[in-house]
Amino acid sequence: VGKGIDLKLLTDYTDEDMCVATADSMGIWLISLYCDIREDEVHPKLAMTLREAGRKYVRVLINADTNAHSILWGSPTTNPRGDEWEDFVLNEGLEVVNQGDVPTFENERGHKSHIDVTLTNGVEIDLWHVYEGPMISDHREIRYELVYADEPAEKPVPGLNWRKCNWKAYEDNVRKTYERLPRSIKKGDLTTRA
């Protein structure tokens, strides 16, 4: 965190696996999250925390050890846990910030993977990269810069769950709309209808 940014711990949302702090001067909640491989794919408090941030029109920046593999964040394959995370990201209207294919995890036995993910709902990030220098952990350091704009946060756009979409109703609606369209448009129609 840069100089001059005061962070305040939000204890209502913080537990042993998730730490939430606010940078009030920036209108951002910073979330650090660990997802135990033996527990639920997505931390149960995360969705509630995101809803509360949305209710307050606060943007979020999430740094998560998801223990999930997804092509969305650089893994060569997606596992079932990654499928769950992909659904969560889509449904919550989050953006994956990860770039490139450098593994975020590498242990001393040579196992490498892409399980650390940076997510946001409107925080602008620049120069995101995995630091490839000396490591003190099996998780590589992820570095980026926040692009700070002194503007109020816009209301986050809710995500859509495409799997729950009523495709038949959608298709019927498109068909009805298409049937109401004029079959030809004359030059005068464009100016009178506009």
Side-chain angles (χ1 to χ4, degrees), residues 3 15 31 36 44 50 53 63 69 103 110 118 125 127 131 149 155 159 187 189:
K3 294 179 181 176
D15 62 23
I31 301 172
D36 192 317
L50 293 176
N63 294 289
H69 301 264
T118 305
I125 302 294
L127 303 174
Y131 177 66
K155 183 176 180 181
K187 187 175 182 180
D189 290 344

Side-chain angles (χ1 to χ4, degrees), residues 82-102:
D83 286 333
E84 291 293 322
W85 266 97
E86 287 175 1
D87 288 345
F88 182 80
V89 166
L90 178 66
N91 291 333
E92 295 296 331
L94 297 171
E95 174 189 349
V96 176
V97 181
N98 293 41
Q99 298 173 4
D101 59 0
V102 177

Side-chain angles (χ1 to χ4, degrees), residues 91-150:
N91 291 333
E92 295 296 331
L94 297 171
E95 174 189 349
V96 176
V97 181
N98 293 41
Q99 298 173 4
D101 59 0
V102 177
T104 61
F105 175 90
E106 181 180 352
N107 65 19
E108 55 191 30
R109 294 184 309 268
H111 175 74
K112 299 177 182 181
S113 63
H114 305 78
I115 57 176
D116 300 299
V117 185
T118 305
L119 304 164
T120 182
N121 69 349
V123 178
E124 192 174 344
I125 302 294
D126 198 14
L127 303 174
W128 188 100
H129 66 282
V130 177
Y131 177 66
E132 296 186 73
M135 300 180 350
I136 59 170
S137 166
D138 49 8
H139 290 267
R140 292 202 165 273
E141 186 178 332
I142 294 173
R143 296 181 176 182
Y144 51 82
E145 293 180 11
L146 292 175
V147 178
Y148 179 67
D150 192 15

Side-chain angles (χ1 to χ4, degrees), residues 19-31:
C19 179
V20 183
T22 180
D24 285 334
S25 64
M26 297 179 76
I28 298 172
W29 283 7
L30 303 171
I31 301 172

Side-chain angles (χ1 to χ4, degrees), residues 28-81:
I28 298 172
W29 283 7
L30 303 171
I31 301 172
S32 178
L33 176 65
Y34 168 71
C35 299
D36 192 317
I37 193 77
R38 299 164 295 189
E39 308 223 355
D40 291 330
E41 287 83 359
V42 179
H43 191 285
K45 278 178 102 173
L46 182 57
M48 183 261 311
T49 301
L50 293 176
R51 278 192 299 277
E52 185 63 17
R55 191 179 71 72
K56 295 181 177 192
Y57 303 105
V58 175
R59 296 169 292 164
V60 297
L61 177 60
I62 304 167
N63 294 289
D65 172 358
T66 64
N67 276 307
H69 301 264
S70 169
I71 59 173
L72 288 181
W73 47 83
S75 294
T77 60
T78 299
N79 64 6
R81 188 178 179 92

